[in-house]
Amino acid sequence: MSNESVTKQELAFQGLREKIPWYISAKDAVLRNPNMLIGLVFISIVVVLALICPLLIKIGILRDPYIFDPLNRLLPPGRSPDGDLFLFGTGPLGRDIFSMVIYGSRISLLVGLSVAILAASIGTMIGILAGYFSKLDDIIMRFMDGIMAIPGILLAIVLMAILGPKVENVIIALTVVDAPRTSRIVRSVVLTIRESQYVDAANAFGASKARILFRHIAPNTFAPVIVQATFLFASAILSEASLSFLGAGVPPDIPTWGNIIGEGRIYFIGHSNIVILPSLGLFFLALAVNMFGDGLRDSLDPKLRGKT
Amino acid sequence: MQRYILKRLLAALPTMAIVGVVVFSIIHLAPGDPAAIMAGEDADYEQVEAMRESMGLLDPIPVQFWRFVKGVSTGDLGESIFSGHSVSSLILDRAEPTLSLAVLSLSISILVSIPAGVLAAWKMNSIFDRVVMILALTGYAVPYFALGYVVIFVFAVKVGWFPAGGYVYMSDNFWQYLHHLLLPSFVLGFAGSALITRMTRATMLEVLKEDYVRTARSKGLGETIVLLRHAFRNAANPVLTVIGFSIAGFISGVVITETVFAIPGMGRLITEAISQRDFQIIQSTILVVALIYVMVNLIIDILYVFVDPRIRYDS
């Protein structure tokens, strides 16, 4: 067969076999999906601001969010009578809301990222165990059902009441709430993979249980888990804020979005900027992460496009 | 069919038992000694010990657990550590606002999101579809409490159509009751609609591609009948599942919404109990809430039978 007769399909097939580097396919996926791009750009801006925030405070571009200034309390956005600029106004203790919002993104991102990583990895381990070892399945999943029957925010509040108000404890509480949900998804994926032909083939070749688990099953759960992790990230950001808002989260003096809103809520009428501006930060970050997650799911599994 | 329902009922029992164990162990792992709290700050060692004895805290854990199970199964949920009131009566007092809020907001979101999802799928990629999808994406990301304050600001403070918060009991004045509930129910309903709308649209999109939908259309049936009788009935099952899932979200949302709108419900009862570390109230209320969640999902499991006759014949 001469070279000229190589069909388009064969070329495409060769292209597949050449293995496209991940960063090229990632770039393609992001550029093909404008929502994902918008989400990614917004997340990147927040991450960069959060990272350089201490530097901005040090060189004086941002006010220190821990400085209490009773003379300048509850100022509306704009210039104070002394001519100082407070872009978002000041809170009930005279703290600059703009720098509190920028600084607060650090806690939101920290909690969101940690919960996403922890809940996704613990949930994956539990899900793989339950899905692969049918003897464990019933015990594990009934236990997970029991945890999931307690509404998330209530379970988190109770755990916080027990553990005490600390950022680490918020992460632990939200991980306990979210890991069972991940395990359910992973388990259902494992149940399907377990019946697939390549697992049968591996069994027939005499592969060990561990090899089947780690070489054949675990890698195939990664795509849904990564997608799930982005949604966990968004919901953890919102839950952390809810906890702080209810007074059961991060200690109240640490400027987080939930704490700023909680602190400002009794001043809402007349000083709505204290509540609305951090809420917008929360909303746009959660929206951006969800948009990114939607795009990620579409590109990792085109069959799921448009599904929840 | 009876066998299916019985099977579902039996499957709910272990879940409830595990909820009981989880709640009981959480409370018993909690630092802070309820006996010391009750005995007061000036109590000496003997008084605290006596209090501990009278509260049964010196008994072995299994004995305490058995007492807890026995109490719960006879409807005795213990007494508040602080006020001494029976927790069952406290919960009953607070149940009406919470259940009203949950039922009304769930109804709003089902009534809005199912038609919206069906129409969005029917007119895929139209302007209507895009608006619905954007709203659904927004509903995912909006923090309940922030939306609550914005809505209060606009509709209560600026326009004055609704009260800014509070609650009126149904028996006192029905119209006032509804008037006070509408704003918080809308807030909770909007956030809850997101998931149901997206699921309805997604399953409808799949069902509309099926052969029987094409057949129905080629028979010359009107679009309304095709959509409702042929397509939606087949999409109803996953939608029902998602509604069941989102009940937990609604209960979580109720806790926050009650705080924002100053509604004296079970959510407030728990948050107040937590700030006072009244673990008896916390333990019992969470158990009741989880029981409600399991019951609702049981009802949904039973509804499947009516929505999808295949389940009836399979079992």
Side-chain angles (χ1 to χ4, degrees), chain B residues 7-261:
Chain B
K7 234 165 70 184
R8 291 283 109 202
L9 250 159
L10 288 177
L13 286 178
T15 310
M16 265 333 286
I18 284 158
V19 173
V21 174
V22 169
V23 170
F24 181 83
S25 33
I26 284 175
I27 304 305
H28 280 258
L29 289 172
D33 186 348
I37 298 175
M38 268 193 93
E41 281 190 8
D42 308 322
D44 55 26
Y45 179 76
E46 274 82 35
Q47 282 169 304
V48 174
E49 265 316 277
M51 184 56 83
R52 207 167 278 157
E53 169 118 48
S54 73
M55 289 170 75
L57 290 174
L58 292 178
D59 298 334
I61 295 286
V63 174
Q64 292 190 41
F65 182 68
W66 177 238
R67 198 163 44 224
F68 166 71
V69 171
K70 232 167 51 185
V72 168
S73 52
T74 53
D76 173 16
L77 298 173
E79 275 128 33
S80 157
I81 297 178
F82 277 90
S83 62
H85 291 304
S86 115
V87 177
S88 335
S89 68
L90 279 176
I91 292 178
L92 279 180
D93 286 347
R94 305 289 192 111
E96 187 195 295
T98 300
L99 291 181
S100 308
L101 184 57
V103 169
L104 195 60
S105 55
L106 186 63
S107 318
I108 290 179
S109 65
I110 290 176
L111 285 178
V112 170
S113 53
I114 290 185
V118 170
L119 289 180
W122 185 47
K123 293 274 173 207
M124 192 173 79
N125 290 334
S126 65
I127 298 200
F128 178 78
D129 180 29
R130 277 171 207 259
V131 171
V132 166
M133 287 314 281
I134 289 172
L135 278 177
L137 198 60
T138 324
Y140 262 136
V142 75
Y144 294 107
F145 45 95
L147 182 63
Y149 284 119
V150 171
V151 167
I152 291 177
F153 186 65
V154 175
F155 291 101
V157 179
K158 289 280 167 199
V159 197
W161 289 346
F162 294 97
Y167 183 77
V168 174
Y169 282 86
M170 203 197 300
S171 51
D172 290 346
N173 183 334
F174 183 75
W175 294 111
Q176 280 294 316
Y177 156 84
L178 218 55
H179 197 203
H180 279 80
L181 270 179
L182 271 178
L183 222 42
S185 304
F186 164 76
V187 169
L188 201 50
F190 176 73
S193 309
L195 187 63
I196 306 176
T197 308
R198 285 177 61 133
M199 196 64 198
T200 310
R201 178 179 175 275
T203 31
M204 278 299 284
L205 278 180
E206 252 166 45
V207 171
L208 284 174
K209 280 191 214 124
E210 295 284 343
D211 288 342
Y212 52 79
V213 170
R214 201 182 22 181
T215 310
R217 279 195 177 130
S218 52
K219 275 201 300 198
L221 292 178
E223 274 300 294
T224 326
I225 291 187
V226 172
L227 272 185
L228 295 184
R229 190 176 300 162
H230 293 256
F232 182 67
R233 276 195 67 179
N234 282 293
N237 235 338
V239 173
L240 207 54
T241 312
V242 167
I243 294 176
F245 273 145
S246 56
I247 301 284
F250 271 99
I251 299 175
S252 290
V254 166
V255 177
I256 296 163
T257 316
E258 281 177 4
T259 306
V260 173
F261 285 89

Side-chain angles (χ1 to χ4, degrees), chain A residues 221-236:
Chain A
T221 61
F222 287 166
V225 166
I226 289 170
V227 172
Q228 169 72 1
T230 59
F231 295 122
L232 288 179
F233 187 106
S235 83

Side-chain angles (χ1 to χ4, degrees), chain A residues 35 139 141-155 157-165 181 184 231 234 238 241-243 245-246 248 257-258 261-262 265-266 268-270 272 275-276 279-280 282-288 290-291 294 297 303 305-308, chain B residues 11 14-15 18-19 21-23 26-27 29-31 133-134 137-146 149-150 152-153 157 164 194-195 197-199 201-203 205-206 242 245 248-249 251-253 255-256 259-260 267-268 270-271 274 277 279 282 285-286 289-291 293-294:
Chain A
N35 276 4
I139 305 170
M141 289 327 284
R142 282 295 90 74
F143 191 72
M144 295 295 131
D145 283 347
I147 296 180
M148 281 189 286
I150 305 173
I153 205 81
L154 285 184
L155 183 57
I157 297 176
V158 173
L159 289 171
M160 286 307 294
I162 292 168
L163 299 168
R181 283 159 236 274
R184 182 135 88 180
F231 295 122
L238 291 174
S242 307
L243 284 177
F245 167 77
L246 291 170
W257 291 346
I261 298 167
R265 72 175 213 243
I266 42 171
F268 184 76
I269 295 164
S272 51
V275 169
I276 290 182
S279 303
L280 284 177
L282 203 55
F283 169 66
F284 282 119
L285 183 57
L287 189 65
N290 276 327
M291 281 162 76
D294 276 353
R297 185 197 44 215
K303 271 181 297 184
R305 194 158 294 171
K307 278 216 171 184
T308 36
Chain B
T15 310
I18 284 158
V19 173
V21 174
V22 169
V23 170
I26 284 175
I27 304 305
L29 289 172
M133 287 314 281
I134 289 172
L137 198 60
T138 324
Y140 262 136
V142 75
Y144 294 107
F145 45 95
Y149 284 119
V150 171
I152 291 177
F153 186 65
V157 179
L195 187 63
T197 308
R198 285 177 61 133
M199 196 64 198
R201 178 179 175 275
T203 31
L205 278 180
E206 252 166 45
V242 167
F245 273 145
I251 299 175
S252 290
V255 177
I256 296 163
T259 306
V260 173
R268 295 280 291 163
I270 297 183
T271 41
I274 281 168
R277 315 219 142 225
F279 281 105
I282 302 173
T285 318
I286 288 190
V289 169
L291 182 74
Y293 174 73
V294 174

